[in-house]
Amino acid sequence: QVQLVESGGGLVQPGGSLRLSCAASGFTISTYAMRWYRQGPGKEREWVATIRSESTYYADSVKGRFTISRDNFKNTMFLQMNSLKPEDTDVYYCYAAINGGYWGQGTRVTVSS
């Protein structure tokens, strides 16, 4: 049974950092493409980053500030977010590109002074 559980969200001041985690079970994350998305109230879900094999890809809005990675031993994916801006405030979701796709429940990030 595939399950994704995000954690690490919270309130942070502009310019600060957070590290999100996505713990996976029921499959091996290194075998599939894994992604982070985010969504705010009244907005469409926005792609943030992808890790596939040893390659990583980023939306222009986060390039140079966010880093996607994974720990194959822990079967967990991460999103290191630096230089956070108020416009990064959203609920962040992890996604596994397996059997039509699986989503986590989301973790809320609020960037505010």
Side-chain angles (χ1 to χ4, degrees):
Q1 174 182 352
V2 173
Q3 191 172 18
L4 301 170
V5 179
E6 299 100 331
S7 62
L11 173 64
V12 63
Q13 291 187 343
S17 298
L18 281 175
R19 188 192 196 205
L20 306 184
S21 299
C22 173
S25 57
F27 72 104
T28 302
I29 63 169
S30 59
T31 307
Y32 300 92
M34 299 287 294
R35 303 178 190 138
W36 286 99
Y37 289 80
R38 63 187 183 185
Q39 186 172 23
K43 294 165 38 179
E44 291 191 0
R45 195 163 290 189
E46 174 191 18
W47 169 72
V48 174
T50 296
I51 184 165
R52 181 174 60 231
S53 296
E54 300 306 313
S55 298
T56 57
Y57 309 89
Y58 298 94
D60 288 343
S61 58
V62 306
K63 199 173 295 183
R65 300 187 298 122
F66 290 10
T67 303
I68 188 172
S69 64
R70 64 172 183 254
D71 183 326
N72 294 337
F73 181 77
K74 294 181 179 179
N75 213 37
T76 299
M77 177 176 67
F78 302 99
L79 186 69
Q80 177 67 43
M81 305 187 297
N82 299 328
S83 302
L84 282 162
K85 306 175 182 179
E87 51 264 44
D88 294 319
T89 295
D90 271 328
V91 178
Y92 285 71
Y93 299 89
C94 64
Y95 173 88
I98 171 175
N99 295 344
Y102 287 85
W103 295 92
Q105 84 289 352
T107 184
R108 183 174 300 276
V109 172
T110 302
V111 184
S112 175
S113 54

